[in-house]
Amino acid sequence: MTSKPHLLIVDGMALLFRSFFASAAMGHYIRLEDGTPTNGVQGFARHVLTAQSLMKPTHLAVCWDMGAQTFRNELFDGYKANRPAPPEEMHPQFDMAKEVSELIGWQNFGEVGMEADDTIGSMVEKWKEDAEITIISGDKDLLQLLNPNTKIAFTKKGYTEYDVYTESRFKEEYEIEPYQFADVKAFMGDSSDGYPGVKGIGPKTALQLIQNFGSIDGVLSNIDALKPAQRTKINEHVEMLKLSHQLAKISRDVPIQAQLDELLINDYSTQTIDTLQQKGLTLIAKHAKSLYSLV
């Protein structure tokens, strides 16, 4: 009996931003000869190379946001409206990151109008029976994607430390099913994404409501069983509650135009490393050499 493939799905934008701000805080932009900053790109690539060496996937995909506007902005004007624009030094690194990813041999995925989360969710839906899946991200919204064959490695420290969630760990900690996490988020809202949920209901109460009643519809069907203050808050914000659920729920129907075997990881060649070096991406080249014993 052969073991299943191990697919590593990387939240590219999450690692790119994380790498950029970690080094930009110290003023390290690691510029090319023409002055183009590369700190986020080089950190992103080194992070993925290290993750590959640690987690030993057989297949790999990198998922990206494709522009700031998504279907969620059409649903709610305030979605992510409170987020500051990316620093100027990041602007050239968005396309560069995808180019470097492709150069190294990783496949990029993303759909205009959708977020990377939706592409990741659609990959999980497509291949959850065919592969063991590990997702690398810093985004807790992805907890709703957990299943018996899928775990999430949340970035923690540096390139090597992760907080890993399995379906069993999630169920033990939250006492709900992963898919119900979007209902919890709908009640509590998300300040970083800019949607309010139900004003006055925090994470603890939101979780208790879903533990007790199973879903938003379950809560609304049993509204008379709630404390008067909770009942009032929810009744005043029913429409925003339902809208927040649409915003919190990850889509799983983005078309993934690839077969699993197309994501097979090939050995890295010295030619690839030389190309990285020639392009001035010396930190990636050195990192790959040290991890994969390339001369």
Side-chain angles (χ1 to χ4, degrees), residues 146 154 163-174:
L146 289 166
F154 292 111
D163 186 18
V164 179
Y165 267 84
T166 59
E167 183 187 52
S168 58
R169 177 186 170 187
F170 176 88
K171 288 163 79 167
E172 185 177 336
E173 288 187 16
Y174 287 84

Side-chain angles (χ1 to χ4, degrees), residues 46-270:
R46 291 163 73 195
H47 202 139
V48 178
L49 287 165
T50 304
Q52 184 189 337
S53 71
L54 290 171
M55 300 177 184
K56 306 286 192 264
T58 55
H59 298 65
L60 192 150
V62 186
C63 296
W64 301 96
D65 295 334
M66 301 297 285
Q69 294 296 307
T70 71
F71 77 94
R72 292 180 178 86
N73 299 99
E74 296 173 12
L75 289 172
F76 182 50
D77 285 343
Y79 186 72
K80 293 190 177 180
N82 56 347
R83 292 195 179 183
E88 183 182 342
E89 291 85 358
M90 271 214 79
H91 292 174
Q93 300 194 58
F94 293 121
D95 287 339
M96 189 192 302
K98 298 184 188 75
E99 290 164 8
V100 168
S101 177
E102 192 173 314
L103 190 159
I104 293 172
W106 307 326
Q107 279 210 48
N108 297 313
F109 292 87
E111 185 80 11
V112 174
M114 311 298 285
E115 293 182 41
D117 287 5
D118 303 309
T119 303
I120 293 169
S122 301
M123 283 190 170
V124 170
E125 188 65 27
K126 182 170 183 174
W127 289 315
K128 63 185 178 183
E129 302 298 335
D130 303 319
E132 298 291 336
I133 299 173
T134 302
I135 301 166
I136 293 180
S137 182
D139 187 353
K140 291 291 196 289
D141 289 349
L142 294 169
L143 286 168
Q144 62 191 272
L145 300 179
L146 289 166
N147 63 56
N149 290 330
T150 301
K151 60 187 175 184
I152 305 172
F154 292 111
T155 50
K156 192 174 177 183
K157 186 179 179 183
Y159 296 151
T160 59
E161 292 188 28
Y162 295 92
D163 186 18
V164 179
Y165 267 84
T166 59
E167 183 187 52
S168 58
R169 177 186 170 187
F170 176 88
K171 288 163 79 167
E172 185 177 336
E173 288 187 16
Y174 287 84
E175 298 179 357
I176 58 174
E177 295 292 328
Y179 72 86
Q180 294 172 297
F181 189 62
D183 295 68
V184 176
K185 291 292 299 282
F187 275 104
M188 63 185 264
D190 188 321
S191 58
S192 68
D193 282 345
Y195 61 89
V198 176
K199 191 175 181 181
I201 289 188
K204 186 176 178 182
T205 301
L207 180 58
Q208 288 173 343
L209 288 170
I210 301 306
Q211 287 170 339
N212 292 336
F213 300 106
S215 66
I216 291 169
D217 288 342
V219 173
L220 296 177
S221 298
N222 292 278
I223 196 85
D224 293 336
L226 303 182
K227 297 174 184 176
Q230 290 179 349
R231 191 161 61 236
T232 300
K233 290 170 186 172
I234 293 170
N235 279 331
E236 287 179 354
H237 298 95
V238 168
E239 292 309 311
M240 181 51 72
L241 171 63
K242 292 179 178 178
L243 176 57
S244 294
H245 187 243
Q246 287 181 273
L247 298 172
K249 191 174 181 182
I250 292 174
S251 174
R252 303 188 190 213
D253 56 7
V254 175
I256 306 298
Q257 306 294 350
Q259 300 304 313
L260 186 58
D261 58 10
E262 294 173 43
L263 306 184
L264 188 68
I265 300 172
N266 295 311
D267 291 338
Y268 300 121
S269 68
T270 53

